[in-house]
């Protein structure tokens, strides 16, 4: 191919794909009628500081920077530009990299891949994007003139030298598929690809954009509105760029203009139900409501539509662990996106049709309540899916803990109801994807918990004791146990704070651990059922009648050698000195007993 010296840089293509709305342009109706081109800059060789005889060849982007190869006299000058401003960043000269006809960025390996082309048709060069220095040359089994990488599909698209044919290569540059291309008669230049399409730019008189899908199907030949020689094509997101040459290298942003309206068909499948529905015709880009569901299925209710595009058989849904939906092979779908009855749709892909499958949910399901790590009888109920259920009050308890609601798990797929990391809305998730589980509380209502089978609601509990930051103070006890044994907190507990135990209507026996030497005023207050207070050691040094308020004469014990010894009744403030006197006497008796034993 005889080339003029050229020089240029990229262009933007605005193609907005609305993945949540279904749609596709029928190939027979045309892809887009032409490519509109918005001029950005020219004479980019001046920014790079290479001679005006240097011609731009391959180009690509990593999303932040764009890379261009300027070739002159067997030397390629690789140049790096910031795509947000198109300001020049740096350059590197590389000898013997052939024509450097095209290049791409492999985001998985973080290197540039340059198709050398003439005279090294079967050689590619790997380039460090930071330094622009060569990593190594790789000889492949095919002669190629262009190259593009698709990270989602993990493959390269290459144009095969001397032909209009193209191939898909794996990550080791081995052939996966070969396809016959359309013989347009134009000069073959660079290529690019996105998740749906493969794009070849070709020059000659007027330029064209030749579009294929990944099955090798020819989608369209789209005229480009410039006669300057197009050299390459690449994109950032949905914005495409192309470099053209004619008495100076020029950078363009390009956009597809759809002059004629494109329509596609949405058909309906009962998917186990009964009835008939006519297809809906949708004009690409124009909102159209789906036909109201007319299918029925005994024992089930209609839950929405599952969407499949006929061009490649993919469904719209979530991959495992993904937070955004996309078109996926059925084996990769973890959770489908369902379209509501009569939902408005307009567009998603650019050709083909869409088939909707009715999604059905069994009419009734069961909810099983269990006590988890606590105790209490199991409870279950069943309901219609559209019936509102209320979480009941159940007597599930765990000693030293308080009931903290229920977590839910479906039996049909093992998913739990919870939150993704950073999300404020609970949903059914694989257990490994749940950052935090949702807790259902008594009185909460819910409907349609599971598509089939049952849901297990497991009681959860949280520690009834709250300690201060250093662990030496009991701040609060909120349990409902009749027998309450305050934990020593690994021997750290020293003080019962004011209001530590108050308004407790269930506690009958209270055990205070050894090591507690201080009880603040009203540390135990308004506990009407409290009858016995056990100190697992001697009475605290800091204790008076203000510590116990609102109880009816509990009996006070000291536990010595594992045995409780009564030291008196707590009937008022005046009792505390007497309690201490009895406790001191008890301590003396034990000391005398120990001395005699010696």
């Amino acid at each position: 191919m005889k080339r003029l010296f050229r020089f240029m840089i990229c262009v933007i293509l605005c193609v907005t794909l609305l993945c949540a709305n279904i749609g596709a342009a029928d190939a027979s109706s045309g892809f887009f009628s032409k490519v509109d081109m918005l001029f950005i800059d020219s004479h980019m060789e001046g920014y790079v500081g290479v001679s005006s005889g240097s011609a731009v060849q391959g180009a690509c982007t990593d999303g932040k920077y764009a890379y261009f190869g300027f070739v002159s006299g067997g030397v390629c000058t690789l140049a790096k530009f910031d795509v947000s401003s198109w300001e020049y960043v740096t350059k590197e000269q590389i000898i013997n990299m052939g024509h450097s006809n095209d290049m791409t960025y492999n985001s998985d390996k973080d290197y540039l891949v340059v198709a050398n082309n003439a005279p090294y048709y079967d050689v590619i060069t790997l380039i460090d994007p930071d330094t622009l220095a060569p990593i190594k040359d790789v000889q492949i089994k095919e002669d190629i003139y262009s190259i593009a990488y698709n990270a989602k599909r993990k493959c390269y698209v290459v144009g095969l030298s001397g032909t209009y044919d193209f191939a898909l290569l794996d990550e080791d540059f081995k052939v996966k598929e070969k396809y016959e291309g359309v013989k347009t008669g134009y000069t073959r230049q660079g290529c690019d690809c996105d998740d749906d399409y493969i794009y070849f730019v070709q020059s000659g008189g007027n330029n064209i954009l030749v579009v294929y899908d990944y099955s090798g199907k020819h989608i369209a030949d789209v005229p480009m509105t410039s006669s300057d020689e197009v050299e390459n094509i690449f994109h950032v997101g949905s914005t495409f760029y192309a470099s053209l040459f004619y008495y100076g290298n020029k950078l363009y942003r390009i956009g597809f203009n759809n002059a004629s309206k494109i329509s596609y068909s949405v058909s309906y499948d009962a998917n186990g139900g009964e009835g008939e529905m006519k297809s809906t015709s949708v004009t690409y880009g124009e909102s159209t409501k789906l036909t109201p569901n007319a299918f029925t299925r005994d024992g089930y209710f209609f839950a929405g539509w599952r969407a499949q595009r006929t061009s490649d058989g993919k469904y719209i849904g979530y991959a495992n662990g993904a937070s955004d939906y996309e078109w996926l092979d059925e084996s990769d779908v973890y959770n489908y996106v369902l379209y509501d009855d009569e939902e408005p749709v307009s567009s998603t892909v650019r050709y083909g049709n869409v088939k909707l499958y009715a999604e059905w949910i069994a009419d009734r399901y069961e909810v099983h309540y269990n006590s988890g790590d606590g105790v209490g009888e199991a409870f279950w109920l069943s309901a219609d899916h559209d019936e509102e259920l209320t979480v009941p009050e159940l007597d599930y308890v765990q000693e030293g803990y308080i009931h903290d609601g229920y977590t839910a798990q479906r039996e049909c797929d093992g998913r739990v109801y919870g939150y993704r990391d950073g999300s404020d809305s609970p949903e059914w998730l694989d257990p490994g994807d749940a950052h935090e589980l949702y807790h259902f509380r008594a009185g909460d209502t819910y409907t349609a918990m599971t598509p089939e089978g049952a849901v297990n609601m497991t009681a959860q509990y949280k520690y009834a004791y709250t300690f201060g930051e250093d662990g030496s103070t009991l701040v609060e006890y909120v349990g409902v146990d009749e027998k309450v044994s305050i934990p020593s907190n690994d021997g750290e507990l020293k003080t019962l704070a004011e209001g530590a135990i108050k308004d407790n209507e269930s506690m009958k026996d209270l055990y205070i651990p050894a090591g507690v030497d201080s009880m603040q005023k009203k540390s135990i207050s308004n506990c009407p059922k409290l009858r016995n207070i056990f100190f697992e050691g001697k009475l605290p040094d800091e204790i008076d009648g203000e510590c116990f308020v609102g109880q009816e004469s509990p009996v006070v014990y000291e536990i010595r050698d594992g045995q409780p010894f009564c030291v008196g009744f707590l009937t008022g403030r005046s009792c505390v000195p007497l309690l201490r006197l009895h406790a001191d006497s008890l301590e003396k008796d034990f000391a005398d007993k120990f001395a005699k034993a010696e």
Side-chain angles (χ1 to χ4, degrees):
M1 176 184 70
K2 183 177 181 181
R3 299 174 181 264
L4 295 172
F5 287 114
R6 33 215 156 185
F7 187 74
M8 132 237 106
I9 301 180
C10 339
V11 291
I12 289 181
L13 177 201
C14 292
V15 181
T16 303
L17 303 179
L18 303 176
C19 265
N21 293 329
I22 43 182
D26 190 343
S28 64
S29 301
F31 184 69
F32 287 86
S33 61
K34 65 177 180 178
V35 173
D36 288 332
M37 311 193 68
L38 177 64
F39 176 74
I40 294 178
D41 210 340
S42 66
H43 295 287
M44 301 301 290
E45 70 273 18
Y47 300 109
V48 179
V50 295
S51 69
S52 59
S54 296
V56 71
Q57 297 297 320
C60 67
T61 180
D62 58 13
K64 183 177 182 181
Y65 299 102
Y67 305 87
F68 304 91
F70 297 89
V71 177
S72 179
V75 176
C76 176
T77 300
L78 280 181
K80 186 175 182 178
F81 287 77
D82 187 330
V83 296
S84 65
S85 62
W86 293 111
E87 292 182 357
Y88 165 71
V89 178
T90 189
K91 68 179 179 182
E92 181 73 17
Q93 287 191 337
I94 303 174
I95 301 174
N96 293 331
M97 202 161 63
H99 207 68
S100 304
N101 197 66
D102 201 9
M103 66 178 72
T104 190
Y105 173 70
N106 185 321
S107 57
D108 295 315
K109 301 294 181 63
D110 189 28
Y111 52 54
L112 308 180
V113 183
V114 179
N116 285 209
N117 200 22
Y120 314 117
Y121 296 97
D122 60 349
V123 175
I124 58 173
T125 302
L126 308 183
I127 301 291
D128 186 324
D130 294 325
T131 65
L132 301 185
I135 299 173
K136 66 177 180 178
D137 288 334
V138 178
Q139 188 168 17
I140 61 178
K141 293 184 178 181
E142 303 294 330
D143 290 350
I144 66 172
Y145 67 89
S146 64
I147 189 166
Y149 181 71
N150 183 276
K152 181 178 179 180
R153 294 176 179 266
K154 308 296 182 187
C155 73
Y156 293 92
V157 175
V158 295
L160 301 177
S161 297
T163 74
Y164 289 90
D165 300 341
F166 60 100
L168 303 182
L169 310 183
D170 65 17
E171 292 183 289
D172 296 321
F173 306 104
K174 295 178 181 178
V175 173
K176 296 173 63 177
E177 299 286 347
K178 284 187 178 181
Y179 299 109
E180 182 178 350
V182 176
K183 298 177 177 61
T184 63
Y186 285 79
T187 300
R188 300 170 299 280
Q189 303 286 3
C191 71
D192 192 18
C193 61
D194 56 23
D195 292 342
D196 295 316
Y197 299 102
I198 298 167
Y199 308 91
F200 289 93
V201 287
Q202 299 178 5
S203 61
N206 291 316
N207 304 304
I208 60 170
L209 179 68
V210 185
V211 186
Y212 300 89
D213 68 12
Y214 280 86
S215 69
K217 179 182 179 181
H218 177 231
I219 304 302
D221 296 334
V222 188
M224 302 177 72
T225 56
S226 175
S227 59
D228 295 351
E229 185 177 0
V230 65
E231 297 292 345
N232 53 55
I233 181 172
F234 60 93
H235 70 281
V236 180
S238 61
T239 301
F240 282 67
Y241 299 86
S243 302
L244 285 77
F245 175 83
Y246 183 73
Y247 295 111
N249 299 285
K250 300 176 184 178
L251 172 65
Y252 285 87
R253 186 176 70 198
I254 62 178
F256 298 155
N257 173 39
N258 176 27
S260 60
K261 291 189 175 182
I262 299 170
S263 63
Y264 62 94
S265 177
V266 176
S267 60
Y268 304 89
D269 189 299
N271 192 28
E274 296 180 350
E276 294 183 0
M277 291 183 63
K278 293 182 179 180
S279 298
T280 300
S281 179
V282 179
T283 299
Y284 185 83
E286 296 182 6
S287 180
T288 304
K289 282 188 176 182
L290 297 174
T291 302
N293 173 49
F295 298 135
T296 59
R297 185 178 180 186
D298 290 341
Y300 292 80
F301 74 91
F302 175 71
W305 301 105
R306 180 159 40 98
Q308 181 187 36
R309 61 187 186 191
T310 60
S311 60
D312 56 10
K314 291 187 175 182
Y315 293 85
I316 191 165
Y318 293 91
N320 192 7
S323 57
D324 294 324
Y325 47 75
E326 56 186 320
W327 290 102
L328 300 167
D329 291 328
E330 188 171 14
S331 59
D332 296 328
V333 176
Y334 183 72
N335 197 12
Y336 291 99
V337 171
L338 295 183
Y339 291 87
D340 294 334
D341 198 16
E342 297 187 81
E343 182 169 339
V345 298
S346 58
S347 61
T348 0
V349 291
R350 292 172 280 206
Y351 68 97
N353 297 310
V354 173
K355 191 170 188 177
L356 298 182
Y357 294 87
E359 192 76 2
W360 304 101
I361 295 180
D363 282 344
R364 294 189 66 81
Y365 64 97
E366 292 183 353
V367 182
H368 299 161
Y369 286 88
N370 65 87
S371 61
D373 293 332
V375 294
E377 293 185 1
F379 175 82
W380 68 274
L381 52 82
S382 64
D384 294 332
H385 277 269
D386 57 356
E387 179 183 353
E388 185 176 82
L389 296 178
T390 301
V391 178
E393 289 274 5
L394 298 173
D395 295 329
Y396 293 148
V397 295
Q398 183 181 6
E399 186 176 348
Y401 292 78
I402 60 173
H403 189 225
D404 193 30
Y406 303 89
T407 56
Q409 184 171 33
R410 302 194 305 207
E411 289 185 352
C412 62
D413 54 15
R415 294 185 189 179
V416 295
Y417 197 63
Y419 301 90
R420 295 181 187 273
D421 191 8
S423 173
D424 294 329
S425 300
E427 56 185 306
W428 290 103
L429 300 168
D430 183 83
D433 296 331
H435 177 71
E436 180 183 352
L437 297 181
Y438 180 83
H439 285 209
F440 289 87
R441 312 288 182 183
D444 284 355
T445 59
Y446 55 84
T447 57
M449 292 280 278
T450 179
E452 60 183 359
V455 174
N456 291 316
M457 303 284 277
T458 302
Q460 302 297 313
Y461 307 89
K462 65 181 180 181
Y463 203 35
Y465 302 90
T466 301
F467 296 95
E469 290 186 3
D470 63 359
S472 65
T473 302
L474 175 64
V475 176
E476 185 181 32
Y477 166 75
V478 292
V480 294
D481 299 320
E482 292 185 354
K483 176 182 176 182
V484 177
S485 296
I486 298 174
S488 67
N489 205 19
D490 294 329
E492 297 291 328
L493 182 64
K494 303 296 181 186
T495 301
L496 303 188
E498 181 177 343
I501 303 177
K502 65 179 180 179
D503 302 329
N504 190 303
E505 298 185 357
S506 57
M507 181 176 62
K508 293 181 179 179
D509 298 327
L510 173 63
Y511 289 77
I512 299 174
V516 173
D517 57 16
S518 173
M519 296 179 63
Q520 297 179 2
K521 291 183 179 181
K522 298 182 180 180
S523 56
I524 302 173
S525 62
N526 194 28
C527 303
K529 293 184 179 180
L530 180 60
R531 293 293 177 265
N532 302 295
I533 302 174
F534 298 87
F535 288 90
E536 297 175 345
K538 65 178 184 178
L539 294 180
D541 294 334
E542 297 182 19
I543 181 176
D544 60 32
E546 294 286 346
C547 299
F548 302 89
V549 179
Q551 288 69 236
E552 293 187 6
S553 305
V555 183
V556 178
Y557 299 84
E558 279 193 357
I559 298 179
R560 302 266 180 167
D561 289 344
Q563 297 297 319
F565 290 87
C566 178
V567 294
F569 294 88
L570 185 62
T571 58
R573 298 182 183 180
S574 60
C575 292
V576 174
L578 186 60
L579 291 176
R580 190 178 299 285
L581 181 63
H582 288 179
D584 290 343
S585 175
L586 183 64
E587 186 172 358
K588 183 177 182 302
D589 289 345
F590 268 87
D592 291 344
K593 180 180 179 180
F594 180 77
K596 291 177 181 180
E598 287 290 320

